[in-house]
Amino acid sequence: MKPVTTTYYLHKIRQRYLWLRGTEILLWALAAGLVSFYVLRLFLMPSAIYLTIASFVAGITAVAGIQLSRMFKISERELALYLNRNYGALKDSADLMLKDDNELSPLQKLQKAKTAEILEKIYPTIKIRHHVGKAVCVFVAAVALSVALTSFKA
């Protein structure tokens, strides 16, 4: 296998992780901003103030989510470890795909090629842990709460 293609799947898995985690964080932030907007709207204050505060709450929620999830700090090495732990078919060899062929012994090169073939086969079945479903439920609840709160506006 070419060196470029051996890390292709790890890169694609990382991209999928970033999209899932980003969607999750975005939904949480929008829910927090929406609820805070309509709760603050109950207090008779200028709209610019509660809009600013709600935006700040949404921004803080997004930043906190990114920091707590280490969203942009996940490396391909960590993904290789995740694959080794959760997919026994890789035989704890996913990390070999990150190494340059010049650094590997002939046996390791053979194992790397086998691992790349296995990863190519199991790639469609690889599941990334996420909480997008929970985030969608929280967002829907926030929308419902916001609709309910609009009825209390004087």
Side-chain angles (χ1 to χ4, degrees):
M1 260 203 165
K2 296 177 189 173
V4 174
T5 60
T6 56
T7 59
Y8 171 78
Y9 290 106
L10 291 176
H11 179 71
K12 295 301 277 182
I13 293 168
R14 184 175 186 276
Q15 282 183 327
R16 191 173 356 149
Y17 169 81
L18 290 174
W19 275 105
L20 287 168
R21 193 64 72 202
T23 301
E24 183 182 317
I25 291 169
L26 177 67
L27 287 169
W28 279 98
L30 288 174
L34 195 63
V35 169
S36 62
F37 176 82
Y38 283 104
V39 166
L40 290 169
R41 196 169 164 221
L42 293 175
F43 303 104
L44 300 174
M45 62 176 78
S47 61
I49 293 175
Y50 58 79
L51 183 59
T52 302
I53 294 172
S55 299
F56 182 73
V57 168
I60 291 296
T61 303
V63 169
I66 289 169
Q67 289 298 318
L68 291 173
S69 70
R70 298 179 5 144
M71 184 173 150
F72 294 108
K73 294 181 181 176
I74 187 104
S75 68
E76 289 180 349
R77 178 162 169 64
E78 289 172 307
L79 286 174
L81 291 172
Y82 171 81
L83 291 172
N84 283 337
R85 275 188 244 119
N86 294 291
Y87 295 92
L90 295 173
K91 298 181 175 144
D92 291 330
S93 298
D95 54 326
L96 284 176
M97 296 195 344
L98 299 173
K99 295 184 179 178
D100 188 41
D101 285 344
N102 298 332
E103 301 172 7
L104 301 175
S105 69
L107 183 60
Q108 287 175 321
K109 288 178 187 177
L110 180 64
Q111 185 64 29
K112 179 180 178 178
K114 285 182 181 180
T115 302
E117 289 175 16
I118 293 169
L119 183 59
E120 188 175 350
K121 287 178 187 174
I122 67 169
Y123 174 75
T125 65
I126 292 174
K127 304 288 183 219
I128 304 290
R129 290 188 198 132
H130 61 84
H131 303 288
V132 174
K134 289 179 185 177
V136 167
C137 290
V138 168
F139 180 72
V140 169
V143 169
L145 181 62
S146 298
V147 168
L149 288 172
T150 59
S151 64
F152 294 113
K153 178 70 174 140

